[in-house]
Amino acid sequence: MKRRSTASKEEILEVLAASGNALSHEMIQDRVSSAMDRATIYRVLNRFCEDGKVHKVVGDNGKQYFAMCANCDEKKQLHSHNHIHFRCLQCGTVECLKQALSVPLPEGYVAKVHNLVISGFCKACS
Amino acid sequence: MKRRSTASKEEILEVLAASGNALSHEMIQDRVSSAMDRATIYRVLNRFCEDGKVHKVVGDNGKQYFAMCANCDEKKQLHSHNHIHFRCLQCGTVECLKQALSVPLPEGYVAKVHNLVISGFCKACS
DNA sequence: ATTTTATTGCGACAAAGTTGCAATATTACA
DNA sequence: TGTAATATTGCAACTTTGTCGCAATAAAAT
Ligand SMILES: [Mn+2]
Ligand SMILES: [Mn+2]
Ligand SMILES: [Zn+2]
Ligand SMILES: [Zn+2]
């Protein structure tokens, strides 16, 4: 499963990097120059996630958002995204907050994925 | 918009109370004795949320889960559910953990809804 | 240049949730 | 108790989100 470099891949990555936020499939489709199929976008994004370049958050609206990994260990196995995300109910932006959050779970519980989202009004909209 | 007491309402509430966990629409439908329409279940649950009897969590699988409000102020306006939820990747249960979590947001941000989910393996499954 | 196979586009599909509308059941009230 | 007002339900239709199979395309290796 070697990865190949394609126009779609690079453009999506540029869009994510330029934005700095977590973007939904739709947001990405809007910001991409060339028309790109929905399935393709999802496949590219999921591949990025596998490769540890990108991480995914599911909003309290049920939608998936994808953001570039910032401080992640390059080791794809254990990049823990235990930081908070903020989704603005007004403008729709989803930001990765700096806040890393370590939650002590009860005995016997094993954490695999953190999906922490607070929604409200962002700095610009409040 | 006065509420009326119906069989569906009470049965759903019983199921939620008996479970103690956060249940998806499907889980509720399975545990209810009488056949009940999907739309009806959602409508009942959403009404419960409006009334402050129940709160909703969206899992990292994009699905909605509903749980009885435990320590909520009866004042429907401001019941803050800033506690963590744990979803087991094995058995599928979603629990409300006791952990109340107050996150200091950056200046200018206003929090409205907390949707905090950690998924992994629960006590029984790990 | 040719082969190999990762990637794409398209269509079909499934699942989750919502909504409109007519039928039904609950509550209020005469 | 009987009737009117309206909240609730069931059903079907629909939207949205995301996935998958398959044939066509394009990147990399030879
Ligand atoms: Mn993030
Ligand atoms: Mn809860
Ligand atoms: Zn905003
Ligand atoms: Zn479990």
Side-chain angles (χ1 to χ4, degrees), chain B residues 34-60:
Chain B
S34 57
M36 214 177 286
D37 191 66
R38 202 169 65 251
T40 300
I41 297 181
Y42 279 116
R43 280 190 277 225
V44 168
L45 289 170
N46 287 330
R47 255 176 273 149
F48 283 158
C49 286
E50 289 175 17
D51 297 347
K53 283 196 182 59
V54 161
H55 65 283
K56 174 170 74 170
V57 200
V58 177
D60 52 322

mmCIF file with all atom_site columns, all heavy atoms in Angstrom, chain B residues 34-60:
data_model
loop_
_atom_site.group_PDB
_atom_site.id
_atom_site.type_symbol
_atom_site.label_atom_id
_atom_site.label_alt_id
_atom_site.label_comp_id
_atom_site.label_asym_id
_atom_site.label_entity_id
_atom_site.label_seq_id
_atom_site.pdbx_PDB_ins_code
_atom_site.Cartn_x
_atom_site.Cartn_y
_atom_site.Cartn_z
_atom_site.occupancy
_atom_site.B_iso_or_equiv
_atom_site.pdbx_formal_charge
_atom_site.auth_seq_id
_atom_site.auth_comp_id
_atom_site.auth_asym_id
_atom_site.auth_atom_id
_atom_site.pdbx_PDB_model_num
ATOM 1   N N   . SER B 1 34 ? -43.664 -2.517 23.217 1.00 0.00 ? 34 SER B N   1
ATOM 2   C CA  . SER B 1 34 ? -44.520 -2.278 22.057 1.00 0.00 ? 34 SER B CA  1
ATOM 3   C C   . SER B 1 34 ? -43.699 -1.722 20.903 1.00 0.00 ? 34 SER B C   1
ATOM 4   O O   . SER B 1 34 ? -42.706 -1.027 21.114 1.00 0.00 ? 34 SER B O   1
ATOM 5   C CB  . SER B 1 34 ? -45.620 -1.293 22.428 1.00 0.00 ? 34 SER B CB  1
ATOM 6   O OG  . SER B 1 34 ? -45.039 -0.100 22.906 1.00 0.00 ? 34 SER B OG  1
ATOM 7   N N   . ALA B 1 35 ? -44.112 -2.049 19.718 1.00 0.00 ? 35 ALA B N   1
ATOM 8   C CA  . ALA B 1 35 ? -43.439 -1.476 18.553 1.00 0.00 ? 35 ALA B CA  1
ATOM 9   C C   . ALA B 1 35 ? -43.627 0.034  18.564 1.00 0.00 ? 35 ALA B C   1
ATOM 10  O O   . ALA B 1 35 ? -44.695 0.529  18.896 1.00 0.00 ? 35 ALA B O   1
ATOM 11  C CB  . ALA B 1 35 ? -44.016 -2.073 17.277 1.00 0.00 ? 35 ALA B CB  1
ATOM 12  N N   . MET B 1 36 ? -42.575 0.724  18.221 1.00 0.00 ? 36 MET B N   1
ATOM 13  C CA  . MET B 1 36 ? -42.646 2.178  18.278 1.00 0.00 ? 36 MET B CA  1
ATOM 14  C C   . MET B 1 36 ? -41.900 2.756  17.089 1.00 0.00 ? 36 MET B C   1
ATOM 15  O O   . MET B 1 36 ? -40.807 2.304  16.769 1.00 0.00 ? 36 MET B O   1
ATOM 16  C CB  . MET B 1 36 ? -42.012 2.652  19.578 1.00 0.00 ? 36 MET B CB  1
ATOM 17  C CG  . MET B 1 36 ? -42.664 3.877  20.182 1.00 0.00 ? 36 MET B CG  1
ATOM 18  S SD  . MET B 1 36 ? -41.901 4.279  21.753 1.00 0.00 ? 36 MET B SD  1
ATOM 19  C CE  . MET B 1 36 ? -42.567 2.995  22.802 1.00 0.00 ? 36 MET B CE  1
ATOM 20  N N   . ASP B 1 37 ? -42.478 3.729  16.479 1.00 0.00 ? 37 ASP B N   1
ATOM 21  C CA  . ASP B 1 37 ? -41.867 4.270  15.266 1.00 0.00 ? 37 ASP B CA  1
ATOM 22  C C   . ASP B 1 37 ? -40.607 5.060  15.589 1.00 0.00 ? 37 ASP B C   1
ATOM 23  O O   . ASP B 1 37 ? -40.492 5.690  16.636 1.00 0.00 ? 37 ASP B O   1
ATOM 24  C CB  . ASP B 1 37 ? -42.865 5.161  14.545 1.00 0.00 ? 37 ASP B CB  1
ATOM 25  C CG  . ASP B 1 37 ? -42.378 5.520  13.162 1.00 0.00 ? 37 ASP B CG  1
ATOM 26  O OD1 . ASP B 1 37 ? -42.265 4.617  12.326 1.00 0.00 ? 37 ASP B OD1 1
ATOM 27  O OD2 . ASP B 1 37 ? -42.074 6.711  12.928 1.00 0.00 ? 37 ASP B OD2 1
ATOM 28  N N   . ARG B 1 38 ? -39.664 4.993  14.642 1.00 0.00 ? 38 ARG B N   1
ATOM 29  C CA  . ARG B 1 38 ? -38.410 5.723  14.807 1.00 0.00 ? 38 ARG B CA  1
ATOM 30  C C   . ARG B 1 38 ? -38.668 7.210  15.067 1.00 0.00 ? 38 ARG B C   1
ATOM 31  O O   . ARG B 1 38 ? -38.138 7.793  16.009 1.00 0.00 ? 38 ARG B O   1
ATOM 32  C CB  . ARG B 1 38 ? -37.564 5.552  13.541 1.00 0.00 ? 38 ARG B CB  1
ATOM 33  C CG  . ARG B 1 38 ? -36.105 5.785  13.723 1.00 0.00 ? 38 ARG B CG  1
ATOM 34  C CD  . ARG B 1 38 ? -35.291 5.335  12.512 1.00 0.00 ? 38 ARG B CD  1
ATOM 35  N NE  . ARG B 1 38 ? -35.554 6.095  11.303 1.00 0.00 ? 38 ARG B NE  1
ATOM 36  C CZ  . ARG B 1 38 ? -36.203 5.619  10.243 1.00 0.00 ? 38 ARG B CZ  1
ATOM 37  N NH1 . ARG B 1 38 ? -36.651 4.393  10.249 1.00 0.00 ? 38 ARG B NH1 1
ATOM 38  N NH2 . ARG B 1 38 ? -36.379 6.364  9.183  1.00 0.00 ? 38 ARG B NH2 1
ATOM 39  N N   . ALA B 1 39 ? -39.483 7.792  14.249 1.00 0.00 ? 39 ALA B N   1
ATOM 40  C CA  . ALA B 1 39 ? -39.761 9.225  14.369 1.00 0.00 ? 39 ALA B CA  1
ATOM 41  C C   . ALA B 1 39 ? -40.356 9.561  15.725 1.00 0.00 ? 39 ALA B C   1
ATOM 42  O O   . ALA B 1 39 ? -39.998 10.566 16.341 1.00 0.00 ? 39 ALA B O   1
ATOM 43  C CB  . ALA B 1 39 ? -40.691 9.671  13.251 1.00 0.00 ? 39 ALA B CB  1
ATOM 44  N N   . THR B 1 40 ? -41.216 8.710  16.184 1.00 0.00 ? 40 THR B N   1
ATOM 45  C CA  . THR B 1 40 ? -41.838 8.936  17.491 1.00 0.00 ? 40 THR B CA  1
ATOM 46  C C   . THR B 1 40 ? -40.790 8.932  18.591 1.00 0.00 ? 40 THR B C   1
ATOM 47  O O   . THR B 1 40 ? -40.787 9.812  19.458 1.00 0.00 ? 40 THR B O   1
ATOM 48  C CB  . THR B 1 40 ? -42.887 7.848  17.782 1.00 0.00 ? 40 THR B CB  1
ATOM 49  O OG1 . THR B 1 40 ? -43.887 7.887  16.759 1.00 0.00 ? 40 THR B OG1 1
ATOM 50  C CG2 . THR B 1 40 ? -43.516 8.066  19.133 1.00 0.00 ? 40 THR B CG2 1
ATOM 51  N N   . ILE B 1 41 ? -39.923 7.967  18.552 1.00 0.00 ? 41 ILE B N   1
ATOM 52  C CA  . ILE B 1 41 ? -38.884 7.884  19.582 1.00 0.00 ? 41 ILE B CA  1
ATOM 53  C C   . ILE B 1 41 ? -38.047 9.154  19.593 1.00 0.00 ? 41 ILE B C   1
ATOM 54  O O   . ILE B 1 41 ? -37.803 9.740  20.643 1.00 0.00 ? 41 ILE B O   1
ATOM 55  C CB  . ILE B 1 41 ? -37.992 6.653  19.342 1.00 0.00 ? 41 ILE B CB  1
ATOM 56  C CG1 . ILE B 1 41 ? -38.826 5.372  19.470 1.00 0.00 ? 41 ILE B CG1 1
ATOM 57  C CG2 . ILE B 1 41 ? -36.836 6.632  20.320 1.00 0.00 ? 41 ILE B CG2 1
ATOM 58  C CD1 . ILE B 1 41 ? -38.045 4.106  19.287 1.00 0.00 ? 41 ILE B CD1 1
ATOM 59  N N   . TYR B 1 42 ? -37.623 9.579  18.434 1.00 0.00 ? 42 TYR B N   1
ATOM 60  C CA  . TYR B 1 42 ? -36.830 10.807 18.368 1.00 0.00 ? 42 TYR B CA  1
ATOM 61  C C   . TYR B 1 42 ? -37.615 11.996 18.906 1.00 0.00 ? 42 TYR B C   1
ATOM 62  O O   . TYR B 1 42 ? -37.084 12.840 19.625 1.00 0.00 ? 42 TYR B O   1
ATOM 63  C CB  . TYR B 1 42 ? -36.394 11.083 16.933 1.00 0.00 ? 42 TYR B CB  1
ATOM 64  C CG  . TYR B 1 42 ? -35.186 10.288 16.505 1.00 0.00 ? 42 TYR B CG  1
ATOM 65  C CD1 . TYR B 1 42 ? -35.270 9.358  15.489 1.00 0.00 ? 42 TYR B CD1 1
ATOM 66  C CD2 . TYR B 1 42 ? -33.951 10.481 17.107 1.00 0.00 ? 42 TYR B CD2 1
ATOM 67  C CE1 . TYR B 1 42 ? -34.167 8.627  15.085 1.00 0.00 ? 42 TYR B CE1 1
ATOM 68  C CE2 . TYR B 1 42 ? -32.841 9.764  16.716 1.00 0.00 ? 42 TYR B CE2 1
ATOM 69  C CZ  . TYR B 1 42 ? -32.952 8.835  15.699 1.00 0.00 ? 42 TYR B CZ  1
ATOM 70  O OH  . TYR B 1 42 ? -31.858 8.126  15.302 1.00 0.00 ? 42 TYR B OH  1
ATOM 71  N N   . ARG B 1 43 ? -38.882 12.062 18.527 1.00 0.00 ? 43 ARG B N   1
ATOM 72  C CA  . ARG B 1 43 ? -39.667 13.209 18.977 1.00 0.00 ? 43 ARG B CA  1
ATOM 73  C C   . ARG B 1 43 ? -39.836 13.206 20.481 1.00 0.00 ? 43 ARG B C   1
ATOM 74  O O   . ARG B 1 43 ? -39.715 14.240 21.144 1.00 0.00 ? 43 ARG B O   1
ATOM 75  C CB  . ARG B 1 43 ? -41.012 13.223 18.252 1.00 0.00 ? 43 ARG B CB  1
ATOM 76  C CG  . ARG B 1 43 ? -40.868 13.796 16.850 1.00 0.00 ? 43 ARG B CG  1
ATOM 77  C CD  . ARG B 1 43 ? -42.211 14.055 16.193 1.00 0.00 ? 43 ARG B CD  1
ATOM 78  N NE  . ARG B 1 43 ? -42.762 12.850 15.597 1.00 0.00 ? 43 ARG B NE  1
ATOM 79  C CZ  . ARG B 1 43 ? -43.308 12.801 14.378 1.00 0.00 ? 43 ARG B CZ  1
ATOM 80  N NH1 . ARG B 1 43 ? -43.338 13.882 13.630 1.00 0.00 ? 43 ARG B NH1 1
ATOM 81  N NH2 . ARG B 1 43 ? -43.803 11.684 13.911 1.00 0.00 ? 43 ARG B NH2 1
ATOM 82  N N   . VAL B 1 44 ? -40.093 12.038 21.041 1.00 0.00 ? 44 VAL B N   1
ATOM 83  C CA  . VAL B 1 44 ? -40.230 11.937 22.492 1.00 0.00 ? 44 VAL B CA  1
ATOM 84  C C   . VAL B 1 44 ? -38.921 12.342 23.175 1.00 0.00 ? 44 VAL B C   1
ATOM 85  O O   . VAL B 1 44 ? -38.914 13.137 24.118 1.00 0.00 ? 44 VAL B O   1
ATOM 86  C CB  . VAL B 1 44 ? -40.620 10.504 22.895 1.00 0.00 ? 44 VAL B CB  1
ATOM 87  C CG1 . VAL B 1 44 ? -40.480 10.315 24.397 1.00 0.00 ? 44 VAL B CG1 1
ATOM 88  C CG2 . VAL B 1 44 ? -42.034 10.195 22.443 1.00 0.00 ? 44 VAL B CG2 1
ATOM 89  N N   . LEU B 1 45 ? -37.816 11.828 22.650 1.00 0.00 ? 45 LEU B N   1
ATOM 90  C CA  . LEU B 1 45 ? -36.528 12.118 23.267 1.00 0.00 ? 45 LEU B CA  1
ATOM 91  C C   . LEU B 1 45 ? -36.198 13.603 23.183 1.00 0.00 ? 45 LEU B C   1
ATOM 92  O O   . LEU B 1 45 ? -35.709 14.195 24.148 1.00 0.00 ? 45 LEU B O   1
ATOM 93  C CB  . LEU B 1 45 ? -35.430 11.295 22.586 1.00 0.00 ? 45 LEU B CB  1
ATOM 94  C CG  . LEU B 1 45 ? -35.465 9.796  22.870 1.00 0.00 ? 45 LEU B CG  1
ATOM 95  C CD1 . LEU B 1 45 ? -34.503 9.046  21.965 1.00 0.00 ? 45 LEU B CD1 1
ATOM 96  C CD2 . LEU B 1 45 ? -35.155 9.522  24.331 1.00 0.00 ? 45 LEU B CD2 1
ATOM 97  N N   . ASN B 1 46 ? -36.454 14.186 22.051 1.00 0.00 ? 46 ASN B N   1
ATOM 98  C CA  . ASN B 1 46 ? -36.160 15.607 21.907 1.00 0.00 ? 46 ASN B CA  1
ATOM 99  C C   . ASN B 1 46 ? -37.034 16.457 22.832 1.00 0.00 ? 46 ASN B C   1
ATOM 100 O O   . ASN B 1 46 ? -36.581 17.472 23.370 1.00 0.00 ? 46 ASN B O   1
ATOM 101 C CB  . ASN B 1 46 ? -36.336 16.040 20.449 1.00 0.00 ? 46 ASN B CB  1
ATOM 102 C CG  . ASN B 1 46 ? -35.223 15.513 19.573 1.00 0.00 ? 46 ASN B CG  1
ATOM 103 O OD1 . ASN B 1 46 ? -34.094 15.328 20.022 1.00 0.00 ? 46 ASN B OD1 1
ATOM 104 N ND2 . ASN B 1 46 ? -35.534 15.242 18.312 1.00 0.00 ? 46 ASN B ND2 1
ATOM 105 N N   . ARG B 1 47 ? -38.252 15.999 23.022 1.00 0.00 ? 47 ARG B N   1
ATOM 106 C CA  . ARG B 1 47 ? -39.118 16.707 23.970 1.00 0.00 ? 47 ARG B CA  1
ATOM 107 C C   . ARG B 1 47 ? -38.557 16.589 25.382 1.00 0.00 ? 47 ARG B C   1
ATOM 108 O O   . ARG B 1 47 ? -38.532 17.574 26.130 1.00 0.00 ? 47 ARG B O   1
ATOM 109 C CB  . ARG B 1 47 ? -40.532 16.115 23.907 1.00 0.00 ? 47 ARG B CB  1
ATOM 110 C CG  . ARG B 1 47 ? -41.516 17.005 23.176 1.00 0.00 ? 47 ARG B CG  1
ATOM 111 C CD  . ARG B 1 47 ? -42.867 16.328 23.072 1.00 0.00 ? 47 ARG B CD  1
ATOM 112 N NE  . ARG B 1 47 ? -42.938 15.473 21.891 1.00 0.00 ? 47 ARG B NE  1
ATOM 113 C CZ  . ARG B 1 47 ? -43.656 14.370 21.796 1.00 0.00 ? 47 ARG B CZ  1
ATOM 114 N NH1 . ARG B 1 47 ? -44.355 13.942 22.831 1.00 0.00 ? 47 ARG B NH1 1
ATOM 115 N NH2 . ARG B 1 47 ? -43.669 13.688 20.682 1.00 0.00 ? 47 ARG B NH2 1
ATOM 116 N N   . PHE B 1 48 ? -38.088 15.403 25.726 1.00 0.00 ? 48 PHE B N   1
ATOM 117 C CA  . PHE B 1 48 ? -37.468 15.226 27.038 1.00 0.00 ? 48 PHE B CA  1
ATOM 118 C C   . PHE B 1 48 ? -36.278 16.164 27.214 1.00 0.00 ? 48 PHE B C   1
ATOM 119 O O   . PHE B 1 48 ? -36.068 16.722 28.284 1.00 0.00 ? 48 PHE B O   1
ATOM 120 C CB  . PHE B 1 48 ? -37.002 13.779 27.214 1.00 0.00 ? 48 PHE B CB  1
ATOM 121 C CG  . PHE B 1 48 ? -38.107 12.813 27.527 1.00 0.00 ? 48 PHE B CG  1
ATOM 122 C CD1 . PHE B 1 48 ? -37.946 11.461 27.267 1.00 0.00 ? 48 PHE B CD1 1
ATOM 123 C CD2 . PHE B 1 48 ? -39.303 13.242 28.073 1.00 0.00 ? 48 PHE B CD2 1
ATOM 124 C CE1 . PHE B 1 48 ? -38.954 10.553 27.560 1.00 0.00 ? 48 PHE B CE1 1
ATOM 125 C CE2 . PHE B 1 48 ? -40.324 12.353 28.362 1.00 0.00 ? 48 PHE B CE2 1
ATOM 126 C CZ  . PHE B 1 48 ? -40.143 10.998 28.110 1.00 0.00 ? 48 PHE B CZ  1
ATOM 127 N N   . CYS B 1 49 ? -35.517 16.308 26.169 1.00 0.00 ? 49 CYS B N   1
ATOM 128 C CA  . CYS B 1 49 ? -34.353 17.204 26.242 1.00 0.00 ? 49 CYS B CA  1
ATOM 129 C C   . CYS B 1 49 ? -34.806 18.645 26.481 1.00 0.00 ? 49 CYS B C   1
ATOM 130 O O   . CYS B 1 49 ? -34.238 19.354 27.313 1.00 0.00 ? 49 CYS B O   1
ATOM 131 C CB  . CYS B 1 49 ? -33.526 17.117 24.960 1.00 0.00 ? 49 CYS B CB  1
ATOM 132 S SG  . CYS B 1 49 ? -32.551 15.605 24.809 1.00 0.00 ? 49 CYS B SG  1
ATOM 133 N N   . GLU B 1 50 ? -35.812 19.048 25.753 1.00 0.00 ? 50 GLU B N   1
ATOM 134 C CA  . GLU B 1 50 ? -36.333 20.402 25.954 1.00 0.00 ? 50 GLU B CA  1
ATOM 135 C C   . GLU B 1 50 ? -36.787 20.606 27.391 1.00 0.00 ? 50 GLU B C   1
ATOM 136 O O   . GLU B 1 50 ? -36.613 21.679 27.966 1.00 0.00 ? 50 GLU B O   1
ATOM 137 C CB  . GLU B 1 50 ? -37.523 20.660 25.024 1.00 0.00 ? 50 GLU B CB  1
ATOM 138 C CG  . GLU B 1 50 ? -37.157 20.810 23.561 1.00 0.00 ? 50 GLU B CG  1
ATOM 139 C CD  . GLU B 1 50 ? -38.401 20.935 22.688 1.00 0.00 ? 50 GLU B CD  1
ATOM 140 O OE1 . GLU B 1 50 ? -39.489 21.228 23.237 1.00 0.00 ? 50 GLU B OE1 1
ATOM 141 O OE2 . GLU B 1 50 ? -38.292 20.723 21.455 1.00 0.00 ? 50 GLU B OE2 1
ATOM 142 N N   . ASP B 1 51 ? -37.398 19.578 27.952 1.00 0.00 ? 51 ASP B N   1
ATOM 143 C CA  . ASP B 1 51 ? -37.934 19.681 29.305 1.00 0.00 ? 51 ASP B CA  1
ATOM 144 C C   . ASP B 1 51 ? -36.868 19.493 30.379 1.00 0.00 ? 51 ASP B C   1
ATOM 145 O O   . ASP B 1 51 ? -37.168 19.600 31.566 1.00 0.00 ? 51 ASP B O   1
ATOM 146 C CB  . ASP B 1 51 ? -39.029 18.626 29.505 1.00 0.00 ? 51 ASP B CB  1
ATOM 147 C CG  . ASP B 1 51 ? -40.209 18.851 28.570 1.00 0.00 ? 51 ASP B CG  1
ATOM 148 O OD1 . ASP B 1 51 ? -40.277 19.935 27.962 1.00 0.00 ? 51 ASP B OD1 1
ATOM 149 O OD2 . ASP B 1 51 ? -41.055 17.946 28.442 1.00 0.00 ? 51 ASP B OD2 1
ATOM 150 N N   . GLY B 1 52 ? -35.650 19.170 29.957 1.00 0.00 ? 52 GLY B N   1
ATOM 151 C CA  . GLY B 1 52 ? -34.573 19.025 30.928 1.00 0.00 ? 52 GLY B CA  1
ATOM 152 C C   . GLY B 1 52 ? -34.588 17.703 31.670 1.00 0.00 ? 52 GLY B C   1
ATOM 153 O O   . GLY B 1 52 ? -33.923 17.553 32.687 1.00 0.00 ? 52 GLY B O   1
ATOM 154 N N   . LYS B 1 53 ? -35.336 16.754 31.175 1.00 0.00 ? 53 LYS B N   1
ATOM 155 C CA  . LYS B 1 53 ? -35.373 15.442 31.819 1.00 0.00 ? 53 LYS B CA  1
ATOM 156 C C   . LYS B 1 53 ? -34.221 14.576 31.341 1.00 0.00 ? 53 LYS B C   1
ATOM 157 O O   . LYS B 1 53 ? -33.779 13.663 32.021 1.00 0.00 ? 53 LYS B O   1
ATOM 158 C CB  . LYS B 1 53 ? -36.667 14.709 31.459 1.00 0.00 ? 53 LYS B CB  1
ATOM 159 C CG  . LYS B 1 53 ? -37.918 15.146 32.174 1.00 0.00 ? 53 LYS B CG  1
ATOM 160 C CD  . LYS B 1 53 ? -38.972 14.054 31.984 1.00 0.00 ? 53 LYS B CD  1
ATOM 161 C CE  . LYS B 1 53 ? -40.304 14.420 32.625 1.00 0.00 ? 53 LYS B CE  1
ATOM 162 N NZ  . LYS B 1 53 ? -40.862 15.659 32.086 1.00 0.00 ? 53 LYS B NZ  1
ATOM 163 N N   . VAL B 1 54 ? -33.795 14.852 30.124 1.00 0.00 ? 54 VAL B N   1
ATOM 164 C CA  . VAL B 1 54 ? -32.832 13.990 29.439 1.00 0.00 ? 54 VAL B CA  1
ATOM 165 C C   . VAL B 1 54 ? -31.802 14.867 28.760 1.00 0.00 ? 54 VAL B C   1
ATOM 166 O O   . VAL B 1 54 ? -32.082 16.005 28.419 1.00 0.00 ? 54 VAL B O   1
ATOM 167 C CB  . VAL B 1 54 ? -33.589 13.125 28.391 1.00 0.00 ? 54 VAL B CB  1
ATOM 168 C CG1 . VAL B 1 54 ? -32.651 12.565 27.353 1.00 0.00 ? 54 VAL B CG1 1
ATOM 169 C CG2 . VAL B 1 54 ? -34.358 12.001 29.075 1.00 0.00 ? 54 VAL B CG2 1
ATOM 170 N N   . HIS B 1 55 ? -30.600 14.338 28.590 1.00 0.00 ? 55 HIS B N   1
ATOM 171 C CA  . HIS B 1 55 ? -29.626 15.079 27.802 1.00 0.00 ? 55 HIS B CA  1
ATOM 172 C C   . HIS B 1 55 ? -29.065 14.184 26.708 1.00 0.00 ? 55 HIS B C   1
ATOM 173 O O   . HIS B 1 55 ? -29.125 12.976 26.786 1.00 0.00 ? 55 HIS B O   1
ATOM 174 C CB  . HIS B 1 55 ? -28.510 15.661 28.662 1.00 0.00 ? 55 HIS B CB  1
ATOM 175 C CG  . HIS B 1 55 ? -27.658 14.630 29.325 1.00 0.00 ? 55 HIS B CG  1
ATOM 176 N ND1 . HIS B 1 55 ? -28.049 13.933 30.440 1.00 0.00 ? 55 HIS B ND1 1
ATOM 177 C CD2 . HIS B 1 55 ? -26.416 14.176 29.026 1.00 0.00 ? 55 HIS B CD2 1
ATOM 178 C CE1 . HIS B 1 55 ? -27.092 13.107 30.809 1.00 0.00 ? 55 HIS B CE1 1
ATOM 179 N NE2 . HIS B 1 55 ? -26.080 13.211 29.961 1.00 0.00 ? 55 HIS B NE2 1
ATOM 180 N N   . LYS B 1 56 ? -28.552 14.826 25.705 1.00 0.00 ? 56 LYS B N   1
ATOM 181 C CA  . LYS B 1 56 ? -28.105 14.137 24.497 1.00 0.00 ? 56 LYS B CA  1
ATOM 182 C C   . LYS B 1 56 ? -26.600 14.228 24.350 1.00 0.00 ? 56 LYS B C   1
ATOM 183 O O   . LYS B 1 56 ? -26.008 15.251 24.637 1.00 0.00 ? 56 LYS B O   1
ATOM 184 C CB  . LYS B 1 56 ? -28.783 14.772 23.277 1.00 0.00 ? 56 LYS B CB  1
ATOM 185 C CG  . LYS B 1 56 ? -28.299 14.231 21.946 1.00 0.00 ? 56 LYS B CG  1
ATOM 186 C CD  . LYS B 1 56 ? -29.170 14.719 20.803 1.00 0.00 ? 56 LYS B CD  1
ATOM 187 C CE  . LYS B 1 56 ? -28.920 16.169 20.466 1.00 0.00 ? 56 LYS B CE  1
ATOM 188 N NZ  . LYS B 1 56 ? -29.597 16.572 19.218 1.00 0.00 ? 56 LYS B NZ  1
ATOM 189 N N   . VAL B 1 57 ? -26.013 13.141 23.899 1.00 0.00 ? 57 VAL B N   1
ATOM 190 C CA  . VAL B 1 57 ? -24.592 13.148 23.566 1.00 0.00 ? 57 VAL B CA  1
ATOM 191 C C   . VAL B 1 57 ? -24.428 12.580 22.174 1.00 0.00 ? 57 VAL B C   1
ATOM 192 O O   . VAL B 1 57 ? -25.110 11.616 21.816 1.00 0.00 ? 57 VAL B O   1
ATOM 193 C CB  . VAL B 1 57 ? -23.776 12.238 24.503 1.00 0.00 ? 57 VAL B CB  1
ATOM 194 C CG1 . VAL B 1 57 ? -22.328 12.619 24.475 1.00 0.00 ? 57 VAL B CG1 1
ATOM 195 C CG2 . VAL B 1 57 ? -24.336 12.249 25.888 1.00 0.00 ? 57 VAL B CG2 1
ATOM 196 N N   . VAL B 1 58 ? -23.534 13.156 21.430 1.00 0.00 ? 58 VAL B N   1
ATOM 197 C CA  . VAL B 1 58 ? -23.223 12.621 20.108 1.00 0.00 ? 58 VAL B CA  1
ATOM 198 C C   . VAL B 1 58 ? -21.899 11.899 20.191 1.00 0.00 ? 58 VAL B C   1
ATOM 199 O O   . VAL B 1 58 ? -20.890 12.483 20.582 1.00 0.00 ? 58 VAL B O   1
ATOM 200 C CB  . VAL B 1 58 ? -23.154 13.742 19.067 1.00 0.00 ? 58 VAL B CB  1
ATOM 201 C CG1 . VAL B 1 58 ? -22.764 13.189 17.713 1.00 0.00 ? 58 VAL B CG1 1
ATOM 202 C CG2 . VAL B 1 58 ? -24.497 14.452 18.983 1.00 0.00 ? 58 VAL B CG2 1
ATOM 203 N N   . GLY B 1 59 ? -21.922 10.635 19.869 1.00 0.00 ? 59 GLY B N   1
ATOM 204 C CA  . GLY B 1 59 ? -20.715 9.833  19.965 1.00 0.00 ? 59 GLY B CA  1
ATOM 205 C C   . GLY B 1 59 ? -19.742 10.130 18.846 1.00 0.00 ? 59 GLY B C   1
ATOM 206 O O   . GLY B 1 59 ? -20.075 10.812 17.880 1.00 0.00 ? 59 GLY B O   1
ATOM 207 N N   . ASP B 1 60 ? -18.544 9.587  18.973 1.00 0.00 ? 60 ASP B N   1
ATOM 208 C CA  . ASP B 1 60 ? -17.557 9.766  17.916 1.00 0.00 ? 60 ASP B CA  1
ATOM 209 C C   . ASP B 1 60 ? -17.895 8.877  16.720 1.00 0.00 ? 60 ASP B C   1
ATOM 210 O O   . ASP B 1 60 ? -17.175 8.879  15.719 1.00 0.00 ? 60 ASP B O   1
ATOM 211 C CB  . ASP B 1 60 ? -16.148 9.460  18.438 1.00 0.00 ? 60 ASP B CB  1
ATOM 212 C CG  . ASP B 1 60 ? -16.095 8.109  19.123 1.00 0.00 ? 60 ASP B CG  1
ATOM 213 O OD1 . ASP B 1 60 ? -17.049 7.750  19.818 1.00 0.00 ? 60 ASP B OD1 1
ATOM 214 O OD2 . ASP B 1 60 ? -15.090 7.404  18.935 1.00 0.00 ? 60 ASP B OD2 1
#
